[in-house]
Amino acid sequence: MKPTPSAIVTGSSRGIGRAIATQLAANGFGVTVNYVRNADAAQEVVDEIKANGGQAIAVQGNVAEPTDRQRLVDKTVEHFESIDVLVNNAGITSVGRKDLLEATSEGWDEVFNTNLKGPFFLSQLVANQMLDNGRTSDSQRRYIINITSISAYAVSLNRADYCIAKAGMQMMTWLFADRLADNNIGVFEICPGVIASDMTAPVKAKYDALIEDGLTPIRRWGQSSDVAAAVTSIVNGAFPFSTGERFNVDGGFHIRRL
Ligand SMILES: NC(=O)c1ccc[n+]([C@@H]2O[C@H](COP(=O)([O-])OP(=O)(O)OC[C@H]3O[C@@H](n4cnc5c(N)ncnc54)[C@H](OP(=O)(O)O)[C@@H]3O)[C@@H](O)[C@H]2O)c1
C-alpha cells in the first residue's frame, strides 16, 4: 500500500502555518505540526485535523537549533515513513522593531537564525532525506516551499534584519530549486502581503488605515487561508514545469503604480 504523503509545516501552531497544515491535511497529507513554545495550540491543530479525518502529529522544535531540526525530520519519518513536502513557514518579526541605525547584532542573529539559517539547514536535511528515501525517481514530485514576505523587496526601516533575511530566502529558493530539479523536487517561494495573524496584530490600526487608503489593489487584509491555498495548489501538482517561482499572495501589492 502506498504510504500517506507527508508534510512538515514549521510554525503551524498558529497563523499562516496553521492554515497551511489544515489545508494540506484536508488534501490527504499527513502533517507534522511544528511549534516552538505553544504546545496547547499545536495540539488543538492536531485535534482539528484528526476530527476531520486527517492525520497529524505535533513536534516541538526551534528551527534555529540543529538538534531540533533533526528531531523534526526523525519524528516525521518515524511516523509517516517519508517526507514529501517541507513548508518553511516559521518566522519572527524584527526584535523591538528598531530603526536600522539602532538595530543590534543580537536582534539580527535571532531573526537570521530563525528566518534564514534555520530554514536553509532544515531544507538541506529534508532534501538529503528525500534523496536517501529513493522515491524521487518515481513520478511523485516532492516540494520545498518557502514563505517569504513583501518585506523581501519593500523597505521597512525598523525591520532591516527581517527584510534582508526574507530577501535572502528568495536566493535560497533559487539555489535549492536548481540543485534539486533533477531529483524531481520542486522548490517555490510564496510571498505574502499583509496577512491577519498574531504577527500583525500589534500593527493592525496602521494597516487598517493603509489598506483603506489603497495600499493594495485588492482592498482587504489577506487571510492565512489565502496563503494556504497557494501552497496547496503547488503541492497538488498545478505547476509541473515550474520551479524557483515566486507566487505573490498580496492583493496586488507588488504592482508598481503611478
Ligand atoms: N502575517 C503577515 O502579515 C506575514 C506577511 C508576510 C510573511 N509572513 C511570514 O509568514 C510566516 C508566518 O507568519 P504568521 O503571521 O503566521 O506568524 P505568527 O502568527 O506569529 O505565528 C508564528 C508561528 O511560528 C512559530 N515559531 C516562531 N518561532 C519559531 C521557531 N524558532 N521555531 C519553530 N517555530 C517557530 C510559532 O510557534 P509558537 O506558537 O510555539 O510560538 C507560530 O506557530 C512567517 O515566516 C512570517 O514572516 C507573515
Side-chain angles (χ1 to χ4, degrees):
M1 201 176 74
K2 213 172 165 223
T4 307
S6 79
I8 296 175
V9 185
T10 66
S12 47
S13 45
R14 294 184 283 121
I16 293 171
R18 178 178 179 147
I20 295 170
T22 52
Q23 277 204 26
L24 289 182
N27 279 266
F29 287 83
V31 181
T32 295
V33 175
N34 161 247
Y35 66 99
V36 64
R37 280 175 220 95
N38 219 326
D40 289 349
Q43 192 53 48
E44 202 182 289
V45 181
V46 169
D47 292 345
E48 181 188 327
I49 288 172
K50 287 185 172 169
N52 288 316
Q55 296 184 44
I57 55 169
V59 179
Q60 192 280 335
N62 181 348
V63 294
E65 293 296 332
T67 49
D68 289 16
R69 293 194 290 267
Q70 186 67 56
R71 187 171 63 250
L72 200 48
V73 168
D74 291 346
K75 292 268 181 205
T76 304
V77 174
E78 198 180 299
H79 196 86
F80 296 113
E81 292 183 34
S82 65
I83 304 172
D84 297 272
V85 173
L86 166 66
V87 184
N88 283 309
N89 166 77
I92 56 170
T93 192
S94 192
V95 182
R97 294 185 184 244
K98 292 187 163 79
D99 179 85
L100 84 106
L101 298 184
E102 309 293 331
T104 64
S105 80
E106 293 77 17
W108 174 289
D109 286 346
E110 197 172 337
V111 169
F112 266 73
N113 287 340
T114 308
N115 292 11
L116 188 59
K117 187 177 175 187
F120 179 92
F121 285 103
L122 181 59
S123 298
Q124 185 192 67
L125 264 186
V126 168
N128 280 315
Q129 201 288 326
M130 286 173 169
L131 300 185
D132 284 350
N133 194 265
R135 269 174 53 200
T136 43
S137 56
D138 70 19
S139 58
Q140 193 61 47
R141 199 179 189 204
R142 295 182 183 196
Y143 297 92
I144 295 175
I145 298 188
N146 299 318
I147 308 298
T148 63
S149 168
I150 53 176
S151 298
Y153 61 86
V155 164
S156 288
L157 294 178
N158 62 350
R159 292 186 296 138
D161 41 16
Y162 185 82
C163 292
I164 299 167
K166 291 294 187 184
M169 219 183 198
Q170 180 177 40
M171 177 52 78
M172 181 186 132
T173 304
W174 289 334
L175 287 161
F176 277 96
D178 185 20
R179 177 64 180 81
L180 299 172
D182 281 343
N183 302 103
N184 204 14
I185 300 170
V187 184
F188 292 83
E189 173 193 353
I190 308 274
C191 192
V194 181
I195 309 292
S197 77
D198 292 346
M199 185 181 276
T200 46
V203 284
K204 182 175 183 306
K206 172 185 160 184
Y207 284 118
D208 278 345
L210 286 171
I211 292 165
E212 176 72 25
D213 280 355
L215 176 75
T216 49
I218 301 175
R219 216 179 282 233
R220 69 164 171 86
W221 278 80
Q223 300 300 318
S224 295
S225 56
D226 294 321
V227 181
V231 173
T232 305
S233 305
I234 292 170
V235 305
N236 277 341
F239 305 100
F241 194 49
S242 301
T243 196
E245 195 59 70
R246 166 181 281 176
F247 285 78
N248 295 297
V249 183
D250 64 354
F253 175 87
H254 65 282
I255 301 166
R256 297 183 74 165
R257 294 183 283 178
L258 282 173

